[in-house]
Amino acid sequence: MATKKKTAKKKAAKKKAVSKKKTTKKKTAKKKQAVNSNPVGRPTKYQADYHPVQAEKLCAKLYATDIQLADFFEVAVSQIYEWKKKYPIFQESIKRGKAVADETIEQSLFHRAAGYSHEDTHITNYYGEVIKTPVMKYYPPEPVACIFWLTNRKRGDWKRNIDNHDSGEDVPALSISYEVRKPASEVKVTRGS
């Protein structure tokens, strides 16, 4: 009989321990729901200390789009849009990153439209001897980049579609020509001996 009492006491103690575990689980689950702003459904993958920083870097250095951000964070594109609405810091970080990328592209377009030059090294092989010659490479302005720049920056003066049909005047066609000339003093020609 003593063994039956001991086993009954053990079973009662186990039941108490199990019920305590269940109540603590319920309490922790309620605490987690209080921390999570969305009490229903799956918890969000958004991390305030990670996602804004990564999004800004991806947009600035890799020119990432919203679709590429979603792919990187392994979420749907609609989730990126939702995070932009819900977390203003996330949206601002994406805007800052895209602004850096846009500025880089603007500078590149400006260089193509205005023309530019840079130092380079010309490497040749003359009868088995490697010859390195410093040269200045020059890239002339590109007309398409000029037109694109002007139609976007000076819209009043440079329109793509001019409607003068109402006045009855003939509109002359736009023609652009350019010529690149360098002084003979800038042209360097070297030969190996």
Side-chain angles (χ1 to χ4, degrees):
M1 269 221 192
T3 57
K4 285 184 180 179
K5 286 182 181 178
K6 287 181 182 177
T7 55
K9 285 182 181 178
K10 285 183 182 177
K11 285 182 181 178
K14 282 184 181 178
K15 282 185 180 179
K16 256 188 179 178
V18 169
S19 67
K20 281 185 180 179
K21 284 183 182 177
K22 286 183 180 178
T23 56
T24 56
K25 283 183 181 178
K26 286 179 183 177
K27 287 179 183 177
T28 57
K30 286 181 182 178
K31 285 180 184 177
K32 284 183 181 177
Q33 281 184 351
V35 170
N36 188 3
S37 62
N38 186 8
V40 180
R42 183 181 302 178
T44 182
K45 288 185 176 183
Y46 182 80
Q47 298 171 5
D49 58 340
Y50 172 73
H51 285 91
V53 175
Q54 278 301 111
E56 185 172 350
K57 287 179 184 176
L58 288 168
C59 290
K61 295 184 179 173
L62 301 177
Y63 312 117
T65 62
D66 290 347
I67 295 168
Q68 292 166 332
L69 286 174
D71 187 42
F72 180 80
F73 293 132
E74 296 179 347
V75 295
V77 179
S78 59
Q79 188 65 52
I80 296 292
Y81 300 147
E82 192 65 35
W83 287 351
K84 282 178 165 181
K85 289 179 190 173
K86 195 172 186 181
Y87 306 106
I89 193 166
F90 183 70
Q91 183 176 12
E92 287 301 315
S93 66
I94 290 175
K95 282 183 181 179
R96 281 192 308 269
K98 288 185 177 182
V100 170
D102 292 344
E103 188 176 320
T104 304
I105 297 301
E106 283 177 17
Q107 289 174 357
S108 299
L109 177 64
F110 175 77
H111 285 301
R112 293 293 289 175
Y116 64 100
S117 59
H118 67 89
E119 293 180 3
D120 198 9
T121 303
H122 181 71
I123 301 172
T124 58
N125 182 355
Y126 186 74
Y127 292 109
E129 183 182 343
V130 176
I131 300 169
K132 294 182 180 179
T133 310
V135 294
M136 181 67 74
K137 284 197 173 182
Y138 176 73
Y139 298 93
E142 188 174 320
V144 175
C146 294
I147 292 170
F148 186 77
W149 182 271
L150 291 170
T151 55
N152 286 304
R153 297 279 296 228
K154 294 191 161 215
R155 293 178 188 212
D157 298 332
W158 292 81
K159 292 182 181 179
R160 285 189 166 206
N161 297 328
I162 300 173
D163 293 329
N164 283 345
H165 298 292
D166 298 335
S167 64
E169 297 177 21
D170 289 334
V171 179
L174 176 67
S175 68
I176 296 176
S177 62
Y178 65 95
E179 187 175 329
V180 178
R181 293 186 181 180
K182 293 178 82 175
S185 62
E186 289 185 18
V187 178
K188 292 182 181 180
V189 178
T190 58
R191 294 195 175 158
S193 50

